[in-house]
Amino acid sequence: VILVVDDNKQIREIVCEYLNNNGYLNWITAADGLQGIEAAYRYRPDLILCDYNMPNMKGDQFHDELISNPDFKKTPFIFLSALTDRKLILDRKRKGAIDYLNKPVNEAELILSLDIHLQQYMELKSTLYMATIDELTGINNKRNLNKLLSAQFSIRSLRDISVIFFDLDFFKLINDTYGHSAGDIVLKEIGKVLRSTLRTYDIYGRFGGEEFLIALPETSEDNAILVAEKLRKRIETLEIIHNGIVIKITSSFGIVSLMKNKHYISQKLDIPDLKNIFEVDPKEVNNWNAVEDNKFRISNLLVSMADIALYEANSTKCNTCGFSSVKKSDFPDNKCSKCD
């Protein structure tokens, strides 16, 4: 998507005609900087063409407002203007504008600039995508999961969030029996199940190996259990065919929520009240780093608690001596290997 921002309707029409002539058919227009801001947040353009002198909000104000959001920091921004002030042009370029084209706009010059900068931006997006997405499953990798989860805790409001840790039962046996290519097919199918089952604003990804992490904002533990059960049933009904053989899989889940465990979390991290961390009065904060550090600790503790819950879900426990193990071999013939 290309966003064209100019208060002159005739200029907008000419620029869009140039775009159409050269195969750029996906564009939107705005009549001033204020409309441009609204359009940018709504459509997330891949490149912005912007006039400098406009009513309501000038081009430099629009540019400054936009790049204050990290999401738009790398979006290619090209000024179209009759102004020739060299100091002004250099100032905009220092702030990230990639080009400055004079009016009247030359079609060949405009398209050349678009071709170069759009290609570079698409290559950058591809690189960033590969850095955040697990290549095998097509969902978030562990690095991006941690980043997205931290962002959820940066909000200045104490709200519920549930974390689900799950893995595939006896996944090593699948690899050993059918080969690692079969295991890869299984993991790809799990990625599809997660994408088709969870909400668009839920956070999920491959944590490592056959382990997956899900974070459900604004979701109680009881509702998270319903989500986990839905996923468990969908995974259980999968029939994955590899070399003519049907592979069936099951999964185990560990689930925790922030609000149901807030007193335990407060005691564990020695925090008097979680509200003091999330709904703090800015006037009373002397050390924002300490506040953010506590949010990071809370996030990590929730993940750790979900991991422990998953281990318990995977374990068999002896009711006599209390011995617990995830290994089937520790309970031959349904007897405890420690106390028989």
Side-chain angles (χ1 to χ4, degrees):
V1 178
I2 295 173
L3 172 60
V4 181
V5 186
D6 200 303
D7 64 306
N8 188 315
K9 182 181 178 182
Q10 186 178 8
I11 296 294
R12 294 198 303 271
E13 291 175 347
I14 290 172
V15 170
C16 292
E17 182 181 344
Y18 290 165
L19 295 177
N20 282 335
N21 291 344
N22 291 273
Y24 290 108
L25 306 180
N26 196 6
W27 45 261
I28 50 176
T29 63
D32 58 42
L34 289 176
Q35 288 185 18
I37 290 290
E38 184 177 343
Y41 275 89
R42 182 173 181 181
Y43 297 102
R44 302 284 167 164
D46 298 301
L47 185 141
I48 298 170
L49 297 167
C50 184
D51 184 26
Y52 190 88
N53 282 321
M54 296 183 293
N56 298 324
M57 179 183 281
K58 291 175 62 179
D60 57 347
Q61 295 172 304
F62 169 52
H63 187 217
D64 287 338
E65 176 76 18
L66 207 60
I67 61 176
S68 68
N69 184 330
D71 287 351
F72 296 106
K73 201 81 172 178
K74 300 293 184 182
T75 304
F77 198 106
I78 299 174
F79 275 102
L80 307 175
S81 178
L83 291 175
T84 57
D85 187 331
R86 190 66 185 167
K87 183 176 179 298
L88 184 150
I89 294 171
L90 289 174
D91 179 59
R92 284 298 105 193
K93 287 188 174 182
R94 286 191 192 98
K95 292 189 175 182
I98 57 172
D99 211 344
Y100 205 103
L101 303 180
N102 290 323
K103 289 182 178 179
V105 180
N106 178 276
E107 181 175 355
E109 187 179 7
L110 172 66
I111 298 305
L112 178 62
S113 183
L114 284 179
D115 287 345
I116 292 172
H117 296 300
L118 269 175
Q119 181 179 350
Q120 291 176 347
Y121 184 59
M122 291 306 172
E123 289 173 354
L124 173 64
K125 286 181 73 172
S126 177
T127 301
L128 292 174
Y129 177 85
M130 294 304 293
T132 59
I133 300 298
D134 177 66
E135 191 173 357
L136 182 62
T137 59
I139 56 180
N140 290 304
N141 60 20
K142 183 177 179 179
R143 177 183 178 186
N144 204 41
L145 271 175
N146 289 331
K147 179 182 176 182
L148 293 172
L149 192 57
S150 294
Q152 285 295 319
F153 284 86
S154 67
I155 298 172
R156 294 182 189 175
S157 174
L158 180 57
R159 55 187 191 144
D160 211 354
I161 182 170
S162 290
V163 174
I164 300 174
F165 225 136
F166 81 94
D167 67 6
L168 306 181
D169 300 330
F170 312 113
F171 184 72
K172 184 178 183 300
L173 187 60
I174 294 174
N175 284 331
D176 292 345
T177 304
Y178 306 108
H180 285 85
S181 59
D184 287 351
I185 293 172
V186 169
L187 293 173
K188 288 179 183 178
E189 289 300 316
I190 297 302
K192 292 178 184 177
V193 169
L194 290 172
R195 283 195 297 272
S196 63
T197 304
L198 298 174
R199 301 169 298 189
T200 55
Y201 55 87
D202 290 332
I203 298 165
Y204 56 92
R206 185 182 178 195
F207 200 76
E210 72 276 19
E211 293 182 330
F212 296 84
L213 181 71
I214 303 169
L216 305 173
E218 309 286 355
T219 304
S220 67
E221 189 168 300
D222 289 341
N223 286 330
I225 290 171
L226 296 178
V227 173
E229 179 62 10
K230 186 176 181 179
L231 284 168
R232 187 194 66 78
K233 287 181 177 178
R234 289 201 62 183
I235 292 170
E236 191 175 48
T237 56
L238 283 176
E239 291 190 351
I240 301 166
I241 300 174
H242 177 68
N243 292 335
I245 300 172
V246 177
I247 301 173
K248 300 286 290 181
I249 52 174
T250 58
S251 50
S252 300
F253 293 77
I255 307 163
V256 295
S257 71
L258 179 63
M259 299 306 287
K260 196 166 184 178
N261 296 279
K262 63 179 182 179
H263 297 301
Y264 170 78
I265 291 170
S266 296
Q267 292 175 354
K268 186 76 174 176
L269 300 180
D270 195 23
I271 298 172
D273 189 339
L274 294 187
K275 273 199 170 186
N276 296 338
I277 302 299
F278 288 94
E279 298 181 0
V280 62
D281 185 344
K283 296 176 183 178
E284 299 177 0
V285 177
N286 297 319
N287 188 347
W288 279 108
N289 288 333
V291 172
E292 294 305 314
D293 181 60
N294 276 324
K295 289 182 178 181
F296 180 74
R297 292 166 65 210
I298 292 168
S299 171
N300 282 350
L301 180 56
L302 268 180
V303 172
S304 176
M305 290 166 65
D307 190 21
I308 292 169
L310 172 60
Y311 181 85
E312 292 176 354
N314 277 323
S315 299
T316 300
K317 185 175 182 179
C318 175
N319 291 330
T320 302
C321 71
F323 172 66
S324 176
S325 176
V326 295
K327 296 179 181 179
K328 276 187 172 182
S329 58
D330 284 332
F331 294 89
D333 300 322
N334 289 326
K335 289 184 179 181
C336 176
S337 59
K338 297 295 181 182
C339 71
D340 203 33

